[in-house]
């Protein structure tokens, strides 16, 4: 058996044979390894491994080299995405007339094609000449800071230093004293020629380019540099706008030469001439602030966005802005069509902004603004006819509101001085005159002082508070009626002059030596007798006057859909203490004299014109409305996104009380003694109104006139529901009576009626007092800041 196994070369039982075979196997393995290493298969395998290793090393080196910057030299296009702007929504008036819209414009963008510096600079120079030839608008604002011919900085040293030290731009450092600054260091360059050389070096512009050529290159490179992070990470940078289609076709057809050039659409805000008359309602657009960007970035806003500032543009920003789209783009190489294309139809289309429909009637609005301007011009002309020593600072500003009393829709709202929203658009596009206007609007540099007085972008109708003067007397009347101090049937009070309230001497303005005698509510309103209403106020108490005023919306935010509304101030105990912190306890106590002054619309009472309009509507309807200028917001697909509130809050006052006040307000027109009789007595629509002349406390100090105010509603007809109300304040307007013409013109425009007095001869006479009978004989208390009898109408 063992032999048989041996024959089969299996030596299981024979130790000697097994040992011999192991040595033999070792020799055989060595031989086989040697044979393998010398075989052609090993050699071929080794060659393949070496080649693989070389490829791996080359790939790694390319990955960490600047090869990615040169990818346009390959045969494959590289796809990125760029933002497609959305057109800002339109703003239209109540009749559908466009006030603000968006105009589509062509823009050119440059994407990072990985070009060498010399090639990029060469292309920028070519593009600069083409932009001039085709009248394209530049994007860079370098020309606002710097010019080469001659070398000059165009802003103050402080602003130039801030520009150069901007960490997101040049990030230069302020040099220490005695430091010699050169174009090669990292210090602020105060010499414009040194700064030019610095820019030339920064952008690696060849010395073969002359000064003009170098600056042309710098202008485009500067725009790229401003957005360098975006550019390097694949976001195209805008380099020109208002680009004609012909130039776009040429550049895109030669994209192998103008590498990285892309065409896109932008939208320019356009304000029609109607916007000039409604500037404070409409607002304007301006670059987004960092603070606002932080707030809006989560919903897609970018640092380059323009956003609403003031008015509806700001209030309805989220509706007007729209939503950006995204589209792929390709950077092509010289291989042109052999590259890999990404269909430009892919991506997300932008969503246009919604249309904001206003309640404003542009026809009435224009009439109101022109009426204020005419009145101010007339005041100035009248003052020039007086002797120099008798001249005072006369009307220079004002505002008005015309509102639907039933639903709170604002038919017209004007503030003067005003502004042109288009100036904010044009100034950013290089228009020199528009830049000057914007500096004036914003109070920049030499315009700081005059803008502080004029406040042209300030909406006086909702942001400025004024003592209401005699326009407040309906509040005092309602307080007296509601507390039963008087009744509609028995409202008589004797006006005795001189008299006193809480130790403060008073005199009747019209009849200072005797007083009017017995007056009732109707004649009290018609004559606007201060002593009559002071007595009503003292008997009613300040707490009741304050309660009624608050219920009518005075000293409270109206909730109007415009930014920046001032809540105003009601005269009451709490506000007296708050406004006079740090004074003695006696000064903080409430006195009878305080009530008397508050009752005629003086003391601490200060309200906005919109509050006066809302309060007048409440007197007319026994309801409190929410004023609003936006009727609704409509999306591009026709869906309604927002509607202004038309609900009215019932006040619940006894209608008999309000009717008694209506009769008195109508007597201001109908009575021969009424201050509105000569202006509205023959008017085709019955009007109930009240004039007011309110002290500011600066009449003597600044040699200026008091403010003139007027409120009214129409029609005042027992057979018709009231429709509209008007509130007006003209700063330094002298008399409330003088503002009636503005209201009259507004009513004529709204009702479409003519002026019955147009053909009548114009009478020139000195303005009369509140009753329009005779001028006051004098006022011994002129020097008192809250002198009650200076509330002339």
């Amino acid at each position: 058996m063992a032999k048989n196994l041996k024959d089969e070369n299996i030596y299981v039982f024979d130790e000697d044979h097994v040992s011999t075979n192991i040595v033999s196997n070792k020799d055989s393995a060595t031989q086989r390894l040697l044979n393998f290493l010398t075989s052609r298969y090993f050699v071929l395998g080794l060659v393949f491994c070496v080649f693989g290793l070389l490829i791996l090393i080359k790939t790694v080196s390319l990955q960490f080299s600047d090869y990615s910057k040169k990818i346009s030299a390959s045969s494959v296009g590289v796809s990125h995405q760029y933002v497609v702007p959305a057109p800002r929504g339109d703003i239209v008036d109540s009749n559908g007339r466009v006030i603000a819209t968006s105009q589509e414009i062509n823009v050119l963008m440059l994407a990072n094609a990985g070009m060498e510096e010399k090639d990029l600079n060469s292309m920028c120079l070519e593009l600069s000449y083409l932009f001039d030839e085709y009248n394209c608008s530049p994007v860079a604002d370098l020309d606002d800071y710097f010019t080469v011919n001659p070398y000059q900085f165009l802003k103050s040293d402080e602003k130039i230093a801030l520009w150069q030290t901007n960490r997101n731009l040049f990030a230069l450092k302020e040099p220490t004293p005695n430091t010699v600054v050169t174009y090669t260091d990292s210090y602020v360059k105060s010499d414009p020629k040194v700064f030019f050389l610095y820019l030339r070096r920064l952008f690696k512009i060849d010395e073969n380019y002359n000064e003009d050529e170098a600056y042309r290159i710098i202008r485009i490179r500067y725009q790229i540099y401003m957005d360098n992070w975006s550019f390097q990470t694949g976001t195209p940078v805008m380099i020109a706008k208002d680009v004609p289609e012909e130039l776009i076709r040429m550049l895109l057809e030669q994209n192998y030469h103008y590498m990285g050039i892309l065409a896109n659409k932008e939208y320019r805000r356009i304000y029609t001439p109607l916007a000039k008359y409604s500037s404070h309602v409409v607002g304007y657009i301006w670059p987004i602030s960092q603070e606002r960007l932080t707030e809006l970035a989560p919903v897609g806003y970018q640092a380059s966005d323009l956003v609403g500032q003031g008015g509806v543009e700001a209030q309805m920003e989220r509706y007007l802005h729209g939503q950006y789209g995204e589209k792929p783009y390709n950077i092509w190489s010289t291989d042109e069509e052999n590259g890999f294309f990404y269909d430009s139809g892919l991506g997300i289309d932008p969503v246009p902004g919604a249309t904001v429909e206003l309640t404003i009637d542009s026809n009435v609005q224009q009439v109101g603004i022109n009426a204020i301007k005419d009145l101010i011009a007339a005041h100035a002309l009248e003052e020039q006819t007086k002797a120099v020593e008798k001249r005072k600072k006369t009307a220079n500003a004002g505002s008005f509101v015309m509102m639907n009393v039933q639903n709170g829709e604002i038919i017209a709202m004007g503030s003067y001085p005003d502004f042109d929203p288009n100036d904010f658009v044009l100034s950013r596009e290089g228009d020199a005159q528009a830049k000057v206007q914007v500096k004036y609007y914003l109070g920049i540099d030499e315009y700081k002082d005059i803008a502080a007085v004029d406040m042209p972008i300030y909406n006086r109708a909702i942001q400025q508070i004024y003592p209401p003067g005699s326009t407040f007397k309906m509040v005092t009347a309602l307080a007296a009626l509601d507390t039963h101090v008087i009744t509609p049937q028995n409202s008589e009070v004797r006006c005795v002059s001189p008299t006193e309230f809480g130790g403060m001497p008073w005199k009747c303005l019209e009849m200072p030596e005797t007083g009017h005698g017995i007056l009732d509510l109707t004649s009290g309103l018609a004559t606007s007798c201060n002593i009559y209403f002071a007595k009503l106020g003292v008997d009613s108490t300040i707490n009741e006057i304050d309660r009624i005023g608050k219920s009518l919306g005075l000293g409270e935010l109206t909730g109007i859909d415009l930014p920046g509304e001032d809540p105003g101030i009601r005269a009451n105990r709490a506000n007296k203490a708050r406004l006079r912190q740090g004074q003695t306890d006696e000064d903080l106590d409430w006195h009878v004299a305080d009530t008397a002054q508050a009752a005629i619309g003086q003391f601490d009472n200060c309200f906005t014109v919109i509050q006066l309009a809302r309060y007048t509507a409440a007197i007319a309807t026994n309801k409190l409305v929410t004023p609003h200028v936006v009727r609704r917001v409509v999306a591009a697909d026709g869906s309604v996104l927002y509607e202004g509130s038309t609900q009215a809050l019932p006040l619940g006052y006894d209608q008999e009380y309000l009717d008694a006040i209506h009769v008195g307000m109508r007597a201001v027109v109908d009575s021969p003694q009424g201050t509105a009789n000569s202006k509205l007595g023959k008017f085709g629509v019955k009007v109930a109104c009240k004039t007011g002349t309110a002290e500011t406390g600066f009449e003597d100090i600044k040699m200026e006139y008091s403010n003139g105010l007027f409120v009214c509603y129409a029609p005042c007809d027992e057979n018709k529901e009231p429709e509209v109300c008007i509130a007006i304040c003209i700063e330094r307007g002298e008399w409330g009576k003088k503002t009636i013409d503005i209201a009259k013109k507004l009513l004529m425009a709204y009702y479409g009626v003519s002026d019955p007095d147009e053909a009548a001869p114009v009478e020139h006479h000195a303005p009369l007092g509140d009753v329009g009978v005779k001028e006051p004989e004098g006022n011994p208390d002129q020097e008192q800041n809250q002198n009650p009898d200076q509330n002339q109408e």
Side-chain angles (χ1 to χ4, degrees), residues 541-552:
T541 74
I542 188 60
N543 289 348
E544 292 302 314
I545 295 173
D546 182 53
R547 175 180 65 85
I548 297 296
K550 181 176 182 178
S551 72
L552 298 174

Side-chain angles (χ1 to χ4, degrees), residues 29 46 117 161 237 273 280 319 332 349 356 384 476 525 589 623:
L46 181 62
E117 295 282 357
V237 174
H280 294 94
Y319 295 109
W332 301 117
D349 291 326
V356 175
Q384 288 299 315
T476 303
L525 282 168
D589 289 341
K623 296 180 293 186

Side-chain angles (χ1 to χ4, degrees), residues 727-780:
I728 301 168
C729 180
I730 300 299
E731 297 178 18
R732 306 195 309 222
E734 188 178 5
W735 306 97
K737 179 179 180 179
K738 288 190 172 183
T739 66
I740 296 176
D741 276 336
I742 298 173
K744 186 177 183 179
K745 290 176 180 179
L746 287 168
L747 291 168
M748 288 166 57
Y750 178 80
Y751 284 106
V753 298
S754 58
D755 187 352
D757 301 319
E758 191 172 17
V762 178
E763 294 183 10
H764 297 281
H765 53 78
L768 301 180
D770 196 30
V771 295
V773 176
K774 65 178 182 179
E775 292 190 298
E777 297 179 9
N779 183 11

Side-chain angles (χ1 to χ4, degrees), residues 61-244:
S61 68
L62 289 175
Q63 180 70 26
F64 295 99
S65 73
D66 63 349
Y67 177 76
S68 59
K69 297 181 181 178
K70 303 174 183 176
I71 195 167
S72 58
S74 71
S75 61
V76 179
V78 177
S79 177
H80 297 280
Q81 288 193 335
Y82 66 92
V83 172
V84 182
R88 194 171 178 85
D90 290 350
I91 301 175
V92 301
D93 74 0
S94 61
N95 297 310
R97 300 170 69 187
V98 176
I99 296 176
T101 188
S102 295
Q103 177 189 48
E104 184 181 86
I105 59 173
N106 293 325
V107 300
L108 281 179
M109 301 187 299
L110 182 65
N112 185 5
M115 301 174 68
E116 296 285 354
E117 295 282 357
K118 63 182 181 64
D119 296 327
L120 177 58
N121 288 338
S122 175
M123 186 178 74
C124 285
L125 182 60
E126 286 187 50
L127 291 172
S128 175
Y129 286 120
L130 287 172
F131 294 162
D132 284 353
E133 180 182 350
Y134 285 89
N135 297 315
C136 303
S137 301
V139 177
D141 63 352
L142 181 63
D143 293 340
D144 292 341
Y145 289 89
F146 177 70
T147 183
V148 168
N149 190 17
Y151 288 109
Q152 184 180 0
F153 286 126
L154 303 178
K155 294 184 181 292
S156 67
D157 293 344
E158 181 182 359
K159 290 183 178 179
I160 291 298
L162 288 173
W163 177 51
Q164 294 187 21
T165 56
N166 185 341
R167 295 178 61 185
N168 295 317
L169 193 57
F170 301 115
L172 298 180
K173 299 177 292 185
E174 289 281 5
T176 57
N178 302 321
T179 300
V180 177
V181 178
T182 69
Y183 70 92
T184 61
D185 59 39
S186 58
Y187 294 114
V188 170
K189 324 297 179 188
S190 58
D191 184 328
K193 186 170 184 178
V194 172
F195 184 67
F196 171 74
L197 295 174
Y198 162 78
L199 292 178
R200 187 163 188 154
R201 181 173 182 269
L202 176 67
F203 299 130
K204 301 179 181 178
I205 298 174
D206 194 281
E207 293 297 327
N208 292 326
Y209 292 113
N210 63 34
E211 182 182 272
D212 176 69
E213 292 171 335
Y215 189 64
R216 285 177 173 274
I217 296 169
I218 287 171
R219 290 172 72 189
I220 297 179
R221 290 297 305 271
Y222 170 77
Q223 180 60 35
I224 299 170
Y225 194 69
M226 286 180 65
D227 298 311
N228 195 49
W229 185 87
S230 298
F231 182 74
Q232 294 297 336
T233 55
T235 300
V237 174
M238 187 193 308
I239 58 173
K241 55 187 176 182
D242 296 310
V243 184

Side-chain angles (χ1 to χ4, degrees), residues 276 284 286 417-427 431-444 446-447 450-451 454 456-457:
K276 178 70 170 64
Y284 61 96
W286 199 242
D418 55 6
F419 64 92
D420 187 345
N422 267 321
D423 285 333
F424 289 93
V425 176
L426 297 176
S427 69
D431 186 283
Q433 182 58 38
K435 288 183 178 180
V436 172
Q437 288 297 120
V438 169
K439 288 177 68 176
Y440 159 64
Y441 298 151
L442 300 179
I444 298 173
E446 68 269 32
Y447 296 98
I450 187 172
D454 291 352
I457 63 172

Side-chain angles (χ1 to χ4, degrees), residues 4 50 55 63 75 93 181 210 256 270 283 307 311 343 385-386 390 430 457 495 536 593 596 741 764:
N4 291 339
V50 170
I55 291 173
Q63 180 70 26
S75 61
D93 74 0
V181 178
N210 63 34
Y256 57 90
I270 299 295
V307 295
D343 186 356
T385 64
K386 298 178 181 178
K390 293 185 177 181
I457 63 172
C495 169
L536 290 187
D741 276 336
H764 297 281

Side-chain angles (χ1 to χ4, degrees), residues 680-696:
L680 297 173
K682 298 178 182 179
F683 193 66
V685 179
K686 290 184 178 181
V687 180
C689 65
K690 187 71 193 75
T691 56
T693 304
E695 278 191 343
T696 64

